[in-house]
Amino acid sequence: MLRRVSGSTDEDELESRTHATGPHSRDSEQDPFIAGKFDTSRDSDTLDRRKIEKALPPNQVNSLQWAASSGGAHGSDLEKKLGTTTVQGDSAAKSGAEAMDFAEWRRPRLRSPWKCSLLTLTTTATSIILLLSIVSSFFTRQLDPKGCKNCLMRPVFGKFDGFDTEHTRFASKYSLHLYREGGINEDMTVRGVPVLFITGNAGSHKQVRAIAAEAAHYFAEHLQTDETAIRSGVRDLDFFTADFNEDITAFHGQTLLDQAEYLNDAISYILSLYHDPQRQRKDPGLPDPTSVVIVGHSMGGIVARTMLTVSNYQANSVNTIVTLSTPHARPPVSFDADIISTYQKINGYWRQAYSQKWANDNPLWHVTLVSIAGGGLDTVVPSDYASLASLVPDTHGFTVFTSTVPGVWTGSDHLSILWCDQLRKKVVRALFDVVDVRRSSQTKPRAERMRYFKKWLLTGMESITEKTLPSKEPSTLLTLEDTSNTILATGDRLVLHRLGQLGKLRTYLLPVPQSQDIPPQKKFTFISNQPLDTPSADSSLDVLFCSVFPLHSGQSVSLFSMDMDLSESSSGSTRLACKSANSDTIQLPASTASSSYAFEDAQPFSYLQYDVDDIAEYQFVAVVDKNPAPVDGWLVAEFSDNGHSQIQTQAGLIQVLTTGLYLNLPADRPLMTDIKIPAVHSSLLVYKLRVGVQVCSDGALFAPFARQYISQPYESKYFVNIKEADINLHGVSPFMPPPLRSVSRNDGLSLQMWSDPSCGTSMHLSMRIDILGSLGKLVMRYRTVFPAVPLVVIALVLRKQFVIHDQTGIFITFAESLDLCLRTSLPVLLLAMTVFSISLASSATPSSNGFLPRGGNATESAVDYTKNDLLLGSQDPFFWFLIPLFGLVGAGACVLVNYAALAIVQVFSLFYSLVVSAPSLLQGKYQRRGAGYTFSGASPRRRLVITLLLFFMISTAIPYQFAYIVACVVQLITDARALRAAQEARSTSTCNFFNYTHSVLVLMLWVLPINIPVLVVWVHNLAVHWLTPFSSHHNVLSIMPFVLLVESLTGGTMIPRVQSKFRHITNILFFTLAVYAALYGVTYAYQLHHLANLICVWLVVVQLSSAGLSLAKIKQMLEGTSDVVDDARSKKRP
């Protein structure tokens, strides 16, 4: 007696008896998918089996075991080895039937795939709230103000048609252009210094116009008539640019290499233009150029560095590179193996070059590299990745943020960094200062180039900046009366509330403390709202460093370019030989009671700062007020003890986060107070700074303002008229390689506070953690976590499904398996990963936050640049909580995607039922056999031919990512058909098959984002008529298992149970995928595709173990005469 399938009618039960005993029962025995419907072990769950076993006598219980039949007529050798179960023996089926008859047992309805447990619902809701909080914080909190001004240009481009296939193999895809500014210079002949602009990912060659237009205007309006500049080798800049047809280089390593090869060919062609008398108009006495200056935006900066590593690079053809928003340290995404390997080769080459002891062994010795980052406003590329600390020493390059650059003082987004008017002016002036057409390299020596880049792009307060005062010769002779009362006492502060009050030239002398007078270290500081005297701005204020100069009889004063005699012909006078410090002037943003932002249009403050050790050779600092009439100007000058002007906080990170940081600056504080907070160094934490109101009875000279800065990279932010400020920084960041040379972690965050010292009132500061603001910083630093972490959850879910299926024969739903994982395996794995991350941090050199005791080896001989590649990408144990946090978000994302996929599959299933009429549904796609339905597709011969054709196309023309997209679509359709079959038949076998196909679909959907970027590159190449196939991504083995698995599912074949020891292989493979996704899913995301591909290999092997395929059957399939083919055709119902 056979039991009736739940949901079937009495006629179905009668018909199933007829099929089981009639002449057509052979069909059921031959089809494992159909035979499974009559298999007791596959139709009952564990609880029902226990009920049956309790009701059976002992001898019948033994016959009801769920082991595989060793003597099945259709079992292959592989099936016997794996222990897979497809068709039970006759005795087992008979015993099962008798058991059901004895217990009068009926199966309960199968679990709906939409059913969700309270735990899953709670987890999803928490995940959604957390994710929305992160996204909301990213868009609304701790946002830097936008201050870039627009610029105007009139571009004219000239294309070089002569740069054809004779010069490069990419001539049909790319093109070379020369920029000219309309109304300034529209002549297409070259005559200046060659500069090559390289656009970034999907960028246009026209993006060069902002910088090139400013260079054209600045040379025409200022330098062309400056004889001094012309004699020093300054010439116009010829901006060349390559049109890459908006190539996508961030996703594809081979495209990046192609562009590098093309640009090396372009440089050879550009340099040849300067040898052609008909195409150039340079001075005949100047040498021909042998190198080109490069300006690269975004991935264009990586292309520039790649050029120096490929085979067609001409030695010394590039020695100056300026990059804008370029991710130097690591690739922006890790979905392509080529982009990862290319980055590793490039960065390895640069590190190896700068690790050489001797300059002759370093091929990059003459190369300078400057990286300019946009900061927090750049939401395309994390500005942390722009750091050069792990690649280039300070002698050859540095990283600076736009908010640091004097006169810019604002962040910029990924595109505005190109047209930001304040920034382009600074970059162009720096380029003109480093060029020198008198040299064949067209640039000054490396040391001079670095000095000028630091001058224009750094604040002047960094440790690597060079003061010009020591290298100067005395240029001013200052003569004073011996009885002059303008000499201040040692240690007194000079404060002038109004300049020019005397109506004549007035000098104030501040004695420089001598070494015996300064046991504590001192520094000199000066600030004024008036510009200091410079050649470009004739001012009425000067600061001189002077030494006594006894003028003997017969000695000439012609050695000095300026003679300032204030003695009024007095016989008793003192002569001082003085050097002007005005060239060392540091610009600070103006801060008044009406100021809001640092980048506002206002006359900047002039600031000087020297350590006393640097000016110990001088006796006096002379402040000269040359205003002939009173002006609204003020100044403050003083010598202060470092012990008073520097405050080193001892609070650890835990204390800062829990209780905050509170400081009280005394009333007798110096002009500038430098507050160092070593515990604050992470880019993941942001803070709120509040400054108490300073009360000044006579009116303050200026409103208090602050500078937030870190020493590596060079990031500064200014807060004028400060009352409250958002403190966020690009310090220690996740997944960043360690620096090329070890640096002290004691630096951390520093705050410089300038306030009017003449007010005589104290000032209160407080800084507290901004928790909601910190959530938003996870987006840019961990955005690639979101594709990787859900794969951890999916792998565990599939593992649990297969474990239960191998034990009970029931393939539970994705939601049910997820609920089980949330209770057991997922928390255990997250706990293990958390403990592992803490142990890694404790074994490495820990951070200075006081969370763990110090340890580690401080004398490492070699730097491990991959030590931050795994897990959270950080050696800081404080952030251990991010692992369970991301696990929670990943679990919620899996739930959402699962139900989204279910909804899509449901829509496809309804559409399928509408397209296929009821008669064709019964007679064609779904044929009634026994108590259920069979699931048939195209003939095996047709499927085999299509599959082989697809493999041929992959190996020759299309990337395997395209085949993966096709496989996802086919799997979606298969899942919809399986859902329809499960809804119609309502049997365990059809529901098992649907749950299996749906879980495979969810897995493939999460792997899909890894394959899309390369496919986008391929489609883009087709759009620009570049039909040359990729030299990579044609490995058939990278997609064959996916295709074979999907093809096997289109025929409706359910994967058999594995009851032998080989069942552990499935467990191990899915667990390996979960662990790898947790450890290296962010850094090497492309490997997740290959691991999932390996799992598909195993699933196909298990699938084939029940099919019993042989060469004879494959031959019959190709000839169209096999039983399998016949069985797939329509048959009449008996």
Side-chain angles (χ1 to χ4, degrees), residues 604-616:
F605 291 171
S606 300
Y607 181 69
L608 291 173
Q609 178 177 300
Y610 293 96
D611 289 332
V612 171
D613 289 344
D614 298 332
I615 57 175

Side-chain angles (χ1 to χ4, degrees), residues 702-754:
F702 59 93
F705 65 100
R707 171 192 174 223
Q708 164 207 323
Y709 73 95
I710 56 177
S711 59
Q712 190 61 257
Y714 299 111
E715 180 186 25
S716 298
K717 294 181 181 180
Y718 293 92
F719 307 99
V720 297
N721 191 20
I722 185 171
K723 298 180 179 64
E724 184 175 291
D726 292 333
I727 303 297
N728 55 80
L729 60 149
H730 293 81
V732 180
S733 301
F735 304 107
M736 289 292 293
L740 195 65
R741 289 170 173 79
S742 60
V743 295
S744 174
R745 289 286 299 273
N746 293 327
D747 293 341
L749 173 70
S750 296
L751 295 172
Q752 283 183 307
M753 293 292 303
W754 285 271

Side-chain angles (χ1 to χ4, degrees), residues 113-114 895-913 968-980 983 994 997-998 1001-1002 1005-1006 1008:
W114 293 92
V895 174
L896 295 178
V897 170
N898 173 48
Y899 286 120
L902 277 175
I904 296 174
V905 169
Q906 186 71 52
V907 172
F908 271 75
S909 179
L910 293 175
F911 178 76
Y912 181 80
S913 64
C968 289
V969 175
V970 173
Q971 182 62 22
L972 176 62
I973 297 173
T974 301
D975 198 19
R977 295 172 61 201
L979 175 61
R980 191 62 181 170
Q983 292 173 341
F994 166 70
T997 57
H998 183 72
L1001 175 64
V1002 173
L1005 289 179
W1006 273 114
L1008 181 61

Side-chain angles (χ1 to χ4, degrees), residues 104-249:
E104 295 183 354
W105 172 77
R106 292 185 61 184
R107 177 201 324 280
R109 287 188 176 273
L110 297 172
R111 179 171 179 140
S112 169
W114 293 92
K115 189 174 181 180
C116 182
S117 68
L118 180 61
L119 175 61
T120 304
L121 185 62
T122 304
T123 302
T124 306
T126 306
S127 174
I128 292 175
I129 293 174
L130 184 59
L131 189 59
L132 290 178
S133 300
I134 293 174
V135 174
S136 175
S137 173
F138 176 70
F139 285 107
T140 60
R141 301 182 68 90
Q142 291 279 338
L143 302 180
D144 295 337
K146 298 180 180 180
C148 280
K149 301 176 184 177
N150 291 323
C151 54
L152 299 177
M153 48 268 179
R154 291 181 290 178
V156 178
F157 290 93
K159 181 180 179 181
F160 291 98
D161 295 325
F163 188 46
D164 52 19
T165 54
E166 294 183 2
H167 299 86
T168 178
R169 64 189 181 100
F170 297 100
S172 61
K173 184 181 182 182
Y174 305 141
S175 57
L176 184 65
H177 300 261
L178 175 65
Y179 179 90
R180 291 305 186 200
E181 178 69 6
I184 299 294
N185 178 21
E186 300 183 13
D187 185 6
M188 290 300 168
T189 58
V190 295
R191 59 180 184 180
V193 178
V195 180
L196 177 61
F197 174 81
I198 308 176
T199 187
N201 179 63
S204 170
H205 69 287
K206 297 180 180 179
Q207 292 174 329
V208 69
R209 57 186 182 268
I211 295 178
E214 172 62 23
H217 281 279
Y218 185 71
F219 181 80
E221 297 169 5
H222 297 89
L223 299 178
Q224 193 171 12
T225 57
D226 188 345
E227 295 183 0
T228 303
I230 297 298
R231 286 196 300 268
S232 65
V234 176
R235 294 295 185 275
D236 198 1
L237 303 180
D238 294 328
F239 273 89
F240 298 85
T241 179
D243 182 5
F244 291 132
N245 286 311
E246 301 182 359
D247 249 353
I248 303 174
T249 51

